[in-house]
Amino acid sequence: MAHHQLENKYRQRLAGVFLENGVNFKLVVYLTGQEKVVNRNLSIKNSSAVPFSGVLSLPIEFRTGAQYTKAQLVQMLKDNDASLRQAYPNLQAASINEVENSIDLELYDPKYTAINQTQSVKLLSSEKPRALANIPLKLTTTNIPLKHSAAVRA
């Protein structure tokens, strides 16, 4: 079962699909609700120029308990775009975090340092506008403007 087939099959419950590289490399399918799904393996034929014998086996782990589907998070982000921009005028980027089942916001503060990080996050959490109270936000602050981020991360 390929990635897109998993997304289609579990569309109503799908919170995220991501690769996890811990002790074992695996594909994780994160679902809402508590109904368990049996883990399985995905067999992958070698289509690369590098020869090896056999078929690769990628474990697929199903995790349950997510509060929101990916589609719900995307809709929350769309529905609250103006509120987020008003609440966080230094907002540089917003994205869906499929691993933590949240909406991640990246804020720009030219005076940001690692020393004031904890204070900044506490302040932002306590000042979360009422309209955004039920949205699972994860805030990150950086002193690098987004237009320069690619050069730093490359």
Side-chain angles (χ1 to χ4, degrees), residues 13 29-37 62-67:
R13 298 179 59 197
V29 179
Y30 195 20
L31 304 170
T32 59
Q34 298 304 321
E35 184 182 338
K36 301 289 182 199
V37 178
F62 291 88
R63 292 185 189 161
T64 58
Q67 187 172 357

Side-chain angles (χ1 to χ4, degrees), residues 73-96 102-107 124 127-129 131-139:
L73 290 173
V74 168
Q75 194 60 51
M76 281 184 214
L77 187 55
K78 287 178 181 178
D79 291 347
N80 293 284
D81 182 61
S83 297
L84 289 167
R85 290 178 190 280
Q86 183 179 2
Y88 306 107
N90 56 344
L91 179 64
Q92 293 197 111
S95 60
I96 304 301
S102 64
I103 295 173
D104 290 1
L105 303 180
E106 183 174 297
L107 310 175
L124 289 169
E127 292 179 354
K128 189 174 177 182
L132 304 173
N134 294 322
I135 298 177
L137 296 177
K138 181 181 169 200
L139 307 168

Side-chain angles (χ1 to χ4, degrees), residues 1-11 14 17 27-29 31 40 42 60 62:
M1 184 172 284
H3 181 278
H4 67 278
Q5 291 171 317
L6 287 167
E7 286 184 338
N8 287 334
K9 183 172 182 175
Y10 297 103
R11 180 180 294 124
L14 188 67
V17 177
L27 184 71
V28 177
V29 179
L31 304 170
R40 57 186 69 135
L42 176 64
I60 301 174
F62 291 88

